[in-house]
Amino acid sequence: MDCIFSSSIVSSIMVKGNGGISCQISMARFMANARRRLPKNLLNPRRTKLPPDPGVNQFLKNTTSGSGPSFTDFTSSEKIEFPEEEHDDHEEADTENYFVDDKDGEIIWDSDEIEAISSLFQGRIPQKPGKLNRERPLPLPLPHKLRPPGLPNPKIRARTGVPSRASLSKQVYKRPDFLIGLARAIRDLSREENVSKVLNRWAPFLLKGSLSLTIRELGHMGLADRALQSFCWAQEQPRLFPDDRVLASTVEVLSRNHELKVPLNLEEFTRLASRGVLEAMIRGFIKGGSLNLAWKLLVVAKKGNRMLDPSVYVKLILELGKNPDKNMLVLTLLDELGQREALKLNQQDTTAIMKVCTRLGKFEIAERLYGWYVESVHEPSVVMYTALIHSRYSEKKYREALSVVWEMEAANCPFDLPAYNVVIKLFVALGDLSRAARYFAKLKEAGFAPTYDIYRNLITIYLVSGRLAKCKEIYKEAKNAGFIIDKQITSRLLQCASRKMIRS
C-alpha cells in the first residue's frame, strides 16, 4: 500500500537540524502502523448490487450468452489489491508470484480456475450418483394388523397365580364341551352309583341354567332316568333352583321318551305352567311321535289364550302333513298361523310349510308365504326357490316356474342337485331339449352325480325328439352308474329302434 507522504518530504524532514532524529523515530512508528492488518470489511469489500431483474439474473447467465458481461470480463476488469503484511519472505514471494502480476499489479487467473468458478453459476451442483427423488420405504407390517378382519386372535394372558373359584366358574358354567363332558361322565357311572358323585364335584362351578344342556344331552343318549336324577339333584341346590330352563329340558326329555305322566287336568296345567315348559312338552311329544297329545295340548293352550312360538306349529304341521288322513288338522293349523298379526318364521320353517302346502295342493298358500317372505326384506335361498318352482310345476304353471329360474340366474344363486332335478323336469315338460341338455351339462360341471329321475327325464325328451343315438348314450351312462331303467322306457327304446330298422 502506498504511503500518504512522498519520499522527498521524508528526506527533507530527516536533514533538518536538532529535531531530525526525533522526526525519524516518529516516522518509523507511522510506517509500522500503516503496515497493520485492515478490518475484514475493508480487506474484502462488498460488490456493488446489480439492478433487480424479474426474469433471469444476468450475473448467473451462461458465459456463452452474448447479452451481458461474462464472469471472466467482470474479474479481469476489476483490480484487487492486497495490503502489505508481515509474513515470511518465502510466503510473500509465493503469494506475489501466484496472484499478482509484477508489471501491472493485477490478479492473474488460470483458464482452469475461471472455468471451475464459472461452472458454479451455470446450474445446479452435480449430486452423488443415484436417484435424486428417492421414495421412503414403507414401514414393516405390524403383527396385529396381519390378522383377517372379523377373526381376532384370542387374548393370551399370563397367569400370575392360581385363578379364583369365581373366575373359573364364569369360564366353565356356559362351555358346551364342559357340560357335555358332565353328561358323558354321568353316562359312564355304574347303575348303583348316583349322579351326585359327578355333580357334587363340580357344584361350586355351576350356575342357573347350566344343567339344561347336560340334561338334553342325556336325553339324546337315551338316559331319561339319569336326566330325571340330575333334575332332582338340582332341586336340592338353592343356587341352581328354581330354574325354568332346567325344568323345560327335563320335561322335553321325559315326554320324548314316553316317561312323562300326563296330568289329568290339562287346563289347570296350561294355566300354571310357563310358556317355555309348554313348548318343551309339545316338542317332546312331537319328537316322540305322540301327535295326539301334542294336538290336545295345543288346543287347550289356544283356549286359555296362551300364545306359543310359531316353530311349535311348524313342527306339528310337518309331522301331520306326512299322514294324508291328518290333512284337515294341517289346514286348521295353517289358518291359525295366518290369523296372527305379527308372524315370525325363519327361512327353514317357511320353506317347510311351502313344501307341505304343495303336497296338499294348497298352491295359493305357498305363493302367499313366498311373497310374505320376500316382502319382509329377506333373500330367498336355493331351497326356497326350488320349493316355489316345484309348486308351480305341480300346478302346471310352467311359464311362471320358468320365470323363477331366470330370477335365480339373475341373483347368481348357485344350484344344488334338487334344483337341477326340478329345473330339468320343468324343461322336459316344456319340451325344451336344448336347455335340458345345457343344464344337464352344468350339473356334471358342478360335480354332481345325476339321479335316476334325471336320467329318465332326459331319455324321455330324447325319445320324443327322435334322437335314438342320444337315447342309447344316456341309457348306457345310466346303466354304468348302477341304475336299472324301468320296463316302460326300455320297451319304448326297443320300439323306436325296430321302427328305425324297418324304415331303413
Side-chain angles (χ1 to χ4, degrees), residues 244-257:
D244 282 346
R245 289 170 289 183
V246 176
L247 178 59
S249 300
T250 308
V251 169
E252 183 177 352
V253 169
L254 294 178
S255 59
R256 186 196 312 167
N257 292 274

Side-chain angles (χ1 to χ4, degrees), residues 20 27 49 51 77 93 102 127 160 171 205 287 306 310 316 383 424 441 460 473:
M27 190 64 190
K49 292 184 179 181
S77 63
D102 295 335
Q127 302 291 332
T160 56
Q171 296 175 7
F205 308 107
K287 292 178 181 178
R306 301 296 301 271
L316 188 56
V383 183
I424 290 175
T460 302
E473 180 182 347

